[in-house]
Amino acid sequence: MSVDAKVHKEILIAGNPQFSTITEKISRIVESKTNKVWLLLFGAAVSLLLILLGSVGYLLWEGIGIWGNNVPSGWGFDIVNFVFWVGIGHAGTLISAILFLFRQRWRTSINRFAEAMTIFAVICALVFPSIHVGRAWLLQWVMPIPNQMGIWPNFRSPLLWDAFAVGTYFACSLMFWYVGLIPDLATLRDRAKNRIRKILYGIFALGWHGGNRQWKHYELAYLILAGISTPLVLSVHSIVSTDFATSVLPGWHTTIFPPYFVAGAIFSGFAMVMTLILIARRVYHLQEIITMKHLERMNIFMLVTSMMVGYSYGTEFFIAWYSGNPYESFAFLNRAFGPYWWAYWTMITCNVVVPQLFWFKRFRTNIVVMFIISILINVGMWFERFVIILTLTRDFLPSSWGWYWPTKWDFAVLIGSFGLFFTLFLLFIRFLPMISMAEIKNVLPQADPHQHDDQRQAAIGGGSV
Amino acid sequence: MNQSTAKTTGMLAAFESPAALMRAAEKMRDAGYTHFDCHSPFPIHGMDRAMGLKRSPLGFIVGAVAFCALSGASLMMWWMTTVDYPLVISGKPYFSFQAYVPVAFAITILCSAVAALFGMLILNRLPQLFHPLFESERFAKVTDDGFFISVAAQDPKFDIYATRQFLESIGSSHTEVVEVE
């Protein structure tokens, strides 16, 4: 048996289920009565969402002054949260697109979940720049739309690049996700018992009938979407990092920013997928589909990206010293030992120190440990962006140094954005299959159309190497 | 409505496994059927060759759209910043192409993704909410664990008796005539 055949036959789903077991197990989550835990979580999420709506309403009425941003720190929580949420989205695209291109078949158990997370995280991210522009009702001016002033947007501005990059990222992720959903929506349509479900799922399934003449175009479309999402996801956070890197501030004006941001984004995204999946796995009893093997691989991903992030922190320090630029050196010493030292060391502890536990298989395969670490990583990655923004408080002239402290409205919007995220996520879990049934069936051993050929070869004692 | 108004649109044959479906597809192809399709809950690797299908042209469609989007976006930004309303920004040339790469790239990707999605839908003639096969109750299993071959009545080789016999001879566990009233 060739190596390829062995890889192909790796058992990814525990208990060797039938095709119909998979359909039944995943569809039932959507079709059965609402789970009490779900209702409880949904209530909590909607309450937080109301906080977001209220605080954004007050912000639009009163203005950006209700936040803590002020000279010298014109950026604050809004940008921290924006970068945080965009970053979270990246693991979703990495799992769905990049691992797909590398034929990592274990991704099938988690990709739908991760893609949904991407979309909702990007929605949360888009909230922040939209409300930070001050006059949110003039947001269309970032697009090249003819207007009465006869002027066009400045295409050389990284902030405009952001609008295009993140907007494109959202649209592409949504289309990618929907294409993946079509066969599963058809499954729900065919299983629907009542008329309303049948009509609604029927409309969104578009009349899919699973013929190979459809699969042929479908598979290529999926491959193309994966192919174009791959450079896109790498470019999005690179472009976000140029918001900082194209300025001439010490600590920001560095070429390491794009790769450093991308690594951090994938790191935080995996942590968020982990947090969510551990909860869903327990509440909906998905241990056979999302096995320890999947969780362990995600932990290894986190370990690798944690070291990349740690390496970037080290490089920044080294270059700050090696450059001989006093402002640059000061910016980094100030991060570690200045007034915000606690933010810096929270970041180092959560992002670099704690994930080292994943070197040990004992911790890598322990549910409680990985749940706690995944949350700590998200805290750490939020602090990373906070540390970067706080560079603004002390730049060149000590006379223009200042202090940044968020107000209660900053916190309200941050907490509220989690409400938006979880509300959308819980709705997704309730009404759409959270695991891709068609793809899971495809990785079961009996899906291989050549399986009998192998048995025949084994029977005659043959088999090629 | 009485039975006589029903119109035969084709035939549906069920198979037990992906392997059986694939072998049957090869035999259908070799027997000269052209208007048939193999339905399965997931894509089966190698089925295109077994059915004798050509590769999907979607790649060329997306490629053409991507090329147009890249040139269109670059041309648009060039015209806006050098012809229609030239502005000197940080002492740089009007069209320093490096600074225009991110937006041109984003627009190219966006248009390619739209082309991939809608190109796929158009090639598949979707959305098409009704299909004669949906009349068959058994066919609902196609999105669960069913494997089927459907032969359309417009196939030149289609014959209600001969086709049924052929489908049974190549391993179908159940055949039925698909009718629309």
Side-chain angles (χ1 to χ4, degrees):
Chain A
M1 191 188 286
S2 66
V3 175
D4 182 59
K6 267 184 193 149
V7 170
H8 202 71
K9 288 209 166 44
E10 185 190 21
I11 303 296
L12 293 165
I13 311 299
N16 194 22
Q18 300 290 309
F19 294 129
S20 54
T21 325
I22 298 289
T23 315
E24 177 64 25
K25 198 165 175 66
I26 297 167
S27 306
R28 207 170 47 208
I29 297 171
V30 180
E31 289 160 353
S32 58
K33 282 184 104 177
T34 308
N35 183 315
K36 281 212 177 63
V37 182
W38 186 90
L39 268 181
L40 220 71
L41 290 173
F42 189 68
V46 171
S47 318
L48 294 182
L49 175 62
L50 289 176
I51 296 182
L52 178 73
L53 295 178
S55 49
V56 168
Y58 183 58
L59 177 90
L60 293 178
W61 175 258
E62 194 68 22
I64 300 298
I66 65 167
W67 284 345
N69 341 355
N70 213 333
V71 175
S73 193
W75 280 359
F77 263 34
D78 40 6
I79 305 295
V80 176
N81 298 341
F82 165 69
V83 181
F84 173 74
W85 281 117
V86 176
I88 287 199
H90 280 55
T93 318
L94 181 108
I95 292 169
S96 58
I98 301 183
L99 295 188
F100 176 77
L101 294 183
F102 282 102
R103 296 284 185 267
Q104 294 293 309
R105 292 158 65 95
W106 60 275
R107 79 184 247 296
T108 50
S109 292
I110 51 171
N111 73 327
R112 169 77 43 75
F113 209 81
E115 283 165 30
M117 182 198 72
T118 296
I119 293 165
F120 306 143
V122 174
I123 291 176
C124 290
L126 284 169
V127 167
F128 289 97
S130 310
I131 56 179
H132 189 202
V133 293
R135 286 182 278 172
W137 49 94
L138 295 177
L139 209 55
Q140 75 277 11
W141 282 358
V142 300
M143 289 293 141
I145 297 167
N147 53 56
Q148 74 277 21
M149 296 165 290
I151 199 168
W152 300 107
N154 175 15
F155 293 107
R156 279 168 278 193
S157 160
L159 298 177
L160 186 89
W161 301 348
D162 247 14
F164 275 87
V166 182
T168 299
Y169 186 42
F170 173 70
C172 287
S173 305
L174 190 66
M175 287 188 268
F176 196 26
W177 186 60
Y178 181 63
V179 168
L181 267 171
I182 292 173
D184 283 3
L185 289 168
T187 303
L188 292 176
R189 170 200 65 199
D190 291 343
R191 285 171 59 94
K193 295 280 186 289
N194 79 46
R195 203 167 159 71
I196 298 174
R197 288 180 81 89
K198 200 163 189 80
I199 289 173
L200 282 178
Y201 285 121
I203 289 172
F204 287 104
L206 305 174
W208 182 259
H209 59 63
N212 191 57
R213 287 172 203 272
Q214 288 188 338
W215 282 119
K216 179 178 84 163
H217 300 303
Y218 175 92
E219 277 198 284
L220 190 59
Y222 199 82
L223 180 68
I224 290 171
L225 285 170
I228 58 180
S229 298
T230 300
L232 176 66
V233 67
L234 298 178
S235 81
V236 169
H237 228 55
S238 302
I239 289 175
V240 169
S241 82
T242 60
D243 290 351
F244 305 93
T246 56
S247 71
V248 288
L249 273 181
W252 284 12
H253 190 59
T254 58
T255 48
I256 198 179
F257 259 39
Y260 155 45
F261 266 52
V262 171
I266 290 166
F267 180 49
S268 67
F270 261 97
M272 186 58 110
V273 176
M274 187 57 106
T275 314
L276 296 172
I277 222 156
L278 287 176
I279 300 173
R281 184 174 180 265
R282 197 181 159 95
V283 174
Y284 294 104
H285 311 289
L286 296 169
Q287 284 88 342
E288 282 147 25
I289 294 172
I290 303 161
T291 61
M292 190 52 84
K293 199 180 277 175
H294 298 104
L295 301 179
E296 193 183 346
R297 282 184 195 173
M298 288 164 71
N299 288 335
I300 293 173
F301 253 99
M302 277 188 247
L303 178 63
V304 172
T305 43
S306 155
M307 308 237 283
M308 285 159 84
V309 170
Y311 174 75
S312 307
Y313 297 157
T315 308
E316 278 190 315
F317 255 86
F318 171 75
I319 294 295
W321 166 75
Y322 190 66
S323 68
N325 180 335
Y327 299 107
E328 192 79 11
S329 319
F330 175 76
F332 284 93
L333 288 176
N334 184 48
R335 277 185 191 175
F337 307 108
Y340 294 104
W341 61 270
W342 44 270
Y344 186 82
W345 293 107
T346 308
M347 164 187 108
I348 293 284
T349 314
C350 295
N351 291 350
V352 186
V353 181
V354 175
Q356 300 306 320
L357 285 178
F358 285 150
W359 281 106
F360 306 101
K361 198 175 173 82
R362 215 174 78 213
F363 296 117
R364 215 157 60 212
T365 51
N366 184 317
I367 302 277
V368 179
V369 171
M370 63 177 99
F371 185 70
I372 294 171
I373 293 183
S374 73
I375 290 178
L376 286 180
I377 290 174
N378 269 313
V379 172
M381 284 308 293
W382 188 88
F383 271 100
E384 179 194 298
R385 283 66 178 247
F386 187 62
V387 166
I388 292 172
I389 298 287
L390 288 180
T391 309
L392 281 172
T393 56
R394 290 187 164 187
D395 51 8
F396 300 99
L397 266 184
S399 61
S400 63
W401 286 1
W403 179 251
Y404 169 76
W405 197 247
T407 65
K408 61 179 183 233
W409 296 105
D410 283 300
F411 285 107
V413 180
L414 169 61
I415 293 167
S417 67
F418 278 91
L420 175 61
F421 180 75
F422 284 113
T423 304
L424 292 170
F425 206 85
L426 287 162
L427 287 173
F428 154 69
I429 282 186
R430 188 74 195 87
F431 295 108
L432 292 171
M434 67 169 116
I435 290 172
S436 175
M437 293 183 267
E439 287 194 36
I440 289 281
K441 288 173 194 166
N442 209 353
V443 300
L444 294 178
Q446 64 266 37
D448 181 5
H450 302 294
Q451 57 167 343
H452 298 296
D453 304 350
D454 289 345
Q455 279 169 10
R456 199 168 59 225
Q457 273 182 356
I460 57 171
S464 54
V465 177
Chain B
M1 236 178 256
N2 63 39
Q3 202 63 33
S4 63
T5 58
K7 182 175 165 259
T8 303
T9 62
M11 193 169 288
L12 186 67
F15 290 83
E16 293 298 335
S17 69
L21 186 67
M22 186 117 127
R23 280 195 298 271
E26 283 164 358
K27 288 183 184 128
M28 289 290 287
R29 173 197 66 194
D30 295 343
Y33 283 95
T34 47
H35 289 67
F36 74 102
D37 206 350
C38 296
H39 306 261
S40 54
F42 49 83
I44 295 172
H45 186 68
M47 189 55 97
D48 290 354
R49 202 192 304 165
M51 284 176 66
L53 297 181
K54 274 188 273 181
R55 198 178 151 79
S56 166
L58 191 61
F60 295 102
I61 298 172
V62 175
V65 169
F67 179 77
C68 294
L70 183 63
S71 19
S74 308
L75 203 66
M76 174 191 82
M77 290 187 286
W78 168 82
W79 177 79
M80 285 174 180
T81 51
T82 66
V83 180
D84 192 49
Y85 202 125
L87 266 183
V88 177
I89 288 166
S90 34
K92 303 288 196 316
Y94 288 131
F95 195 76
S96 43
F97 81 91
Q98 295 88 341
Y100 294 85
V101 168
V103 174
F105 175 75
I107 293 176
T108 307
I109 293 285
L110 181 63
C111 295
S112 316
V114 171
L117 172 62
F118 288 94
M120 184 271 280
L121 293 182
I122 291 166
L123 288 172
N124 279 339
R125 293 181 176 75
L126 295 175
Q128 181 193 23
L129 297 187
F130 176 75
H131 193 281
L133 288 172
F134 293 154
E135 290 286 300
S136 158
E137 261 174 48
R138 195 173 282 263
F139 190 68
K141 288 198 83 74
V142 74
T143 54
D144 176 10
D145 62 350
F147 300 91
F148 299 92
I149 285 184
S150 68
V151 191
Q154 57 277 35
D155 193 305
K157 277 198 65 125
F158 183 82
D159 174 273
I160 266 194
Y161 303 102
T163 303
R164 171 170 259 166
Q165 212 165 29
F166 182 69
L167 284 167
E168 278 164 3
S169 76
I170 58 174
S172 167
S173 55
H174 174 93
T175 51
E176 62 184 273
V177 175
V178 182
E179 290 176 329
V180 180
E181 277 180 9

